[in-house]
Amino acid sequence: MRCQTCGDATPPEHNECQRCHTPLGQPAVTPGLPTYSVRGIGLAAGVAVGATAVLYLVAALASLVGLAMARQARADGDPDLLLAAVVVEALLALPMVAAYLTAAVLVIIWTWRARKNIEAFPGALPTLGAGWAIAGWLVPFANFVMPARVVANVARDSLWRRFTPDLVYVWWAAWLVFSVGERFVSRRDSQAYDRLPQTPSTDADYQAYLDYYPDSLLRHAVPAVACVVAAVALIVLIRRISAMQEARIDRGMPAWPTAAQGWPMSPTLWAPVPGGPGPAVVPPATPVSPQEAPGAGGTIGA
């Protein structure tokens, strides 16, 4: 017998497919259970995640702009250039924040749909309710563990793995380094900037700004690298899981007309027509009353 999910031959002595773990004789998708498309939302989430990583790198490198403007401010003796540098950094950070929020919403929607889909996959073993696909990102402290557990469950049951793929661990470790490191670096930057002279007038005052920007750039190096690693790993996971789920859902679609496509309102009889190109439709016979029958009107024995 061949597995209806992956098509591999399944020996009768096994209760499930040895490749995708679908129970023997079960369809790719359980009939009657809803499934959700993840291709479009997965593509949008991947684009948003990639844009967030790129824009974060731009914002992290904004210290180079501040350093150049601080050098020019010392050369010209113009402290207003230092204020302009702060404005430039803020403007470069705004697109990243917008992309980050967009990516967060799209990833949550994709995670919920992918988690709901595995409920319709025979052989899948969901360990957490679908609600955790949303609440896991929002509940404090739980958001350090629950999103990874949900995605790990989805990855195992979508990619036909007995164990969690290593890419899930890479993504989540990098994400924790980025999210925790970014908060720590932002706080250190704020504290260091508050210690700078507000109205620099001497070379020592300007030198303080010239020292601040390289230090800030160095502090952002670790979160920036972690952001890129987490983004790449998550994009690959989203693409792989979405492709496998869509392929399985397509295999589970019935090959016969569905109710939405419409069945004929009444049955028809198919009969070959001699010499014709193919079968002709013969409608069902209509009942005929005795009075309308051929030869009606005479009497028996007349």
PDB file of all heavy atoms in Angstrom, residues 39 45 68 85 118 128 130 172 229 245 275 299:
ATOM      1  N   ARG A  39       0.530  30.119   1.841  1.00  0.00           N
ATOM      2  CA  ARG A  39       1.514  30.550   0.839  1.00  0.00           C
ATOM      3  C   ARG A  39       1.608  32.074   0.776  1.00  0.00           C
ATOM      4  O   ARG A  39       2.689  32.643   0.872  1.00  0.00           O
ATOM      5  CB  ARG A  39       1.152  29.993  -0.529  1.00  0.00           C
ATOM      6  CG  ARG A  39       2.159  30.374  -1.621  1.00  0.00           C
ATOM      7  CD  ARG A  39       1.787  29.796  -2.973  1.00  0.00           C
ATOM      8  NE  ARG A  39       1.964  28.353  -3.011  1.00  0.00           N
ATOM      9  CZ  ARG A  39       0.967  27.484  -3.105  1.00  0.00           C
ATOM     10  NH1 ARG A  39      -0.286  27.919  -3.156  1.00  0.00           N
ATOM     11  NH2 ARG A  39       1.192  26.196  -3.144  1.00  0.00           N
ATOM     12  N   ALA A  45       5.020  37.604   5.099  1.00  0.00           N
ATOM     13  CA  ALA A  45       5.773  37.601   6.361  1.00  0.00           C
ATOM     14  C   ALA A  45       7.277  37.538   6.098  1.00  0.00           C
ATOM     15  O   ALA A  45       8.059  38.236   6.754  1.00  0.00           O
ATOM     16  CB  ALA A  45       5.335  36.421   7.223  1.00  0.00           C
ATOM     17  N   ALA A  68      30.452  61.179  11.521  1.00  0.00           N
ATOM     18  CA  ALA A  68      30.875  62.150  10.507  1.00  0.00           C
ATOM     19  C   ALA A  68      30.383  63.549  10.838  1.00  0.00           C
ATOM     20  O   ALA A  68      31.115  64.541  10.683  1.00  0.00           O
ATOM     21  CB  ALA A  68      30.368  61.708   9.138  1.00  0.00           C
ATOM     22  N   ALA A  85      22.476  65.290  14.051  1.00  0.00           N
ATOM     23  CA  ALA A  85      22.847  63.884  14.008  1.00  0.00           C
ATOM     24  C   ALA A  85      21.832  63.019  14.750  1.00  0.00           C
ATOM     25  O   ALA A  85      21.478  61.922  14.308  1.00  0.00           O
ATOM     26  CB  ALA A  85      24.239  63.693  14.611  1.00  0.00           C
ATOM     27  N   ILE A 118      -2.113  21.742  10.940  1.00  0.00           N
ATOM     28  CA  ILE A 118      -1.631  20.422  11.340  1.00  0.00           C
ATOM     29  C   ILE A 118      -2.707  19.638  12.085  1.00  0.00           C
ATOM     30  O   ILE A 118      -2.589  18.411  12.212  1.00  0.00           O
ATOM     31  CB  ILE A 118      -0.341  20.520  12.192  1.00  0.00           C
ATOM     32  CG1 ILE A 118      -0.608  21.199  13.529  1.00  0.00           C
ATOM     33  CG2 ILE A 118       0.762  21.221  11.426  1.00  0.00           C
ATOM     34  CD1 ILE A 118       0.604  21.176  14.459  1.00  0.00           C
ATOM     35  N   LEU A 128       0.411  21.855  21.800  1.00  0.00           N
ATOM     36  CA  LEU A 128      -0.114  23.092  22.373  1.00  0.00           C
ATOM     37  C   LEU A 128      -1.323  23.529  21.575  1.00  0.00           C
ATOM     38  O   LEU A 128      -1.409  23.279  20.370  1.00  0.00           O
ATOM     39  CB  LEU A 128       0.944  24.202  22.368  1.00  0.00           C
ATOM     40  CG  LEU A 128       2.189  23.982  23.234  1.00  0.00           C
ATOM     41  CD1 LEU A 128       3.237  25.046  22.919  1.00  0.00           C
ATOM     42  CD2 LEU A 128       1.827  24.021  24.712  1.00  0.00           C
ATOM     43  N   ALA A 130      -3.939  25.956  19.541  1.00  0.00           N
ATOM     44  CA  ALA A 130      -3.670  26.952  18.498  1.00  0.00           C
ATOM     45  C   ALA A 130      -3.635  28.365  19.069  1.00  0.00           C
ATOM     46  O   ALA A 130      -2.986  29.245  18.499  1.00  0.00           O
ATOM     47  CB  ALA A 130      -4.734  26.852  17.401  1.00  0.00           C
ATOM     48  N   TRP A 172      15.577  30.622  17.050  1.00  0.00           N
ATOM     49  CA  TRP A 172      15.131  31.126  18.352  1.00  0.00           C
ATOM     50  C   TRP A 172      16.294  31.635  19.189  1.00  0.00           C
ATOM     51  O   TRP A 172      16.163  32.643  19.895  1.00  0.00           O
ATOM     52  CB  TRP A 172      14.357  30.052  19.109  1.00  0.00           C
ATOM     53  CG  TRP A 172      13.614  30.609  20.281  1.00  0.00           C
ATOM     54  CD1 TRP A 172      13.812  30.342  21.601  1.00  0.00           C
ATOM     55  CD2 TRP A 172      12.554  31.574  20.234  1.00  0.00           C
ATOM     56  NE1 TRP A 172      12.940  31.063  22.380  1.00  0.00           N
ATOM     57  CE2 TRP A 172      12.153  31.824  21.564  1.00  0.00           C
ATOM     58  CE3 TRP A 172      11.898  32.238  19.203  1.00  0.00           C
ATOM     59  CZ2 TRP A 172      11.131  32.724  21.870  1.00  0.00           C
ATOM     60  CZ3 TRP A 172      10.881  33.132  19.510  1.00  0.00           C
ATOM     61  CH2 TRP A 172      10.518  33.367  20.844  1.00  0.00           C
ATOM     62  N   VAL A 229      20.875  36.673  11.375  1.00  0.00           N
ATOM     63  CA  VAL A 229      20.785  35.213  11.478  1.00  0.00           C
ATOM     64  C   VAL A 229      19.351  34.785  11.764  1.00  0.00           C
ATOM     65  O   VAL A 229      18.823  33.841  11.143  1.00  0.00           O
ATOM     66  CB  VAL A 229      21.738  34.702  12.568  1.00  0.00           C
ATOM     67  CG1 VAL A 229      21.526  33.207  12.805  1.00  0.00           C
ATOM     68  CG2 VAL A 229      23.181  34.975  12.189  1.00  0.00           C
ATOM     69  N   GLN A 245       3.091  22.314   3.594  1.00  0.00           N
ATOM     70  CA  GLN A 245       1.676  22.306   3.953  1.00  0.00           C
ATOM     71  C   GLN A 245       0.783  22.487   2.726  1.00  0.00           C
ATOM     72  O   GLN A 245      -0.237  21.797   2.585  1.00  0.00           O
ATOM     73  CB  GLN A 245       1.386  23.391   4.993  1.00  0.00           C
ATOM     74  CG  GLN A 245       1.903  23.071   6.378  1.00  0.00           C
ATOM     75  CD  GLN A 245       1.220  23.893   7.457  1.00  0.00           C
ATOM     76  OE1 GLN A 245       0.395  24.771   7.181  1.00  0.00           O
ATOM     77  NE2 GLN A 245       1.556  23.628   8.704  1.00  0.00           N
ATOM     78  N   GLY A 275     -22.560   5.026 -34.296  1.00  0.00           N
ATOM     79  CA  GLY A 275     -21.981   5.890 -35.315  1.00  0.00           C
ATOM     80  C   GLY A 275     -21.684   7.285 -34.835  1.00  0.00           C
ATOM     81  O   GLY A 275     -21.147   8.098 -35.586  1.00  0.00           O
ATOM     82  N   THR A 299     -60.685  -1.456 -26.516  1.00  0.00           N
ATOM     83  CA  THR A 299     -60.980  -2.344 -25.398  1.00  0.00           C
ATOM     84  C   THR A 299     -60.455  -3.706 -25.719  1.00  0.00           C
ATOM     85  O   THR A 299     -60.360  -4.106 -26.889  1.00  0.00           O
ATOM     86  CB  THR A 299     -62.488  -2.410 -25.113  1.00  0.00           C
ATOM     87  OG1 THR A 299     -63.111  -2.873 -26.288  1.00  0.00           O
ATOM     88  CG2 THR A 299     -63.045  -1.047 -24.730  1.00  0.00           C
TER      89      THR A 299
END
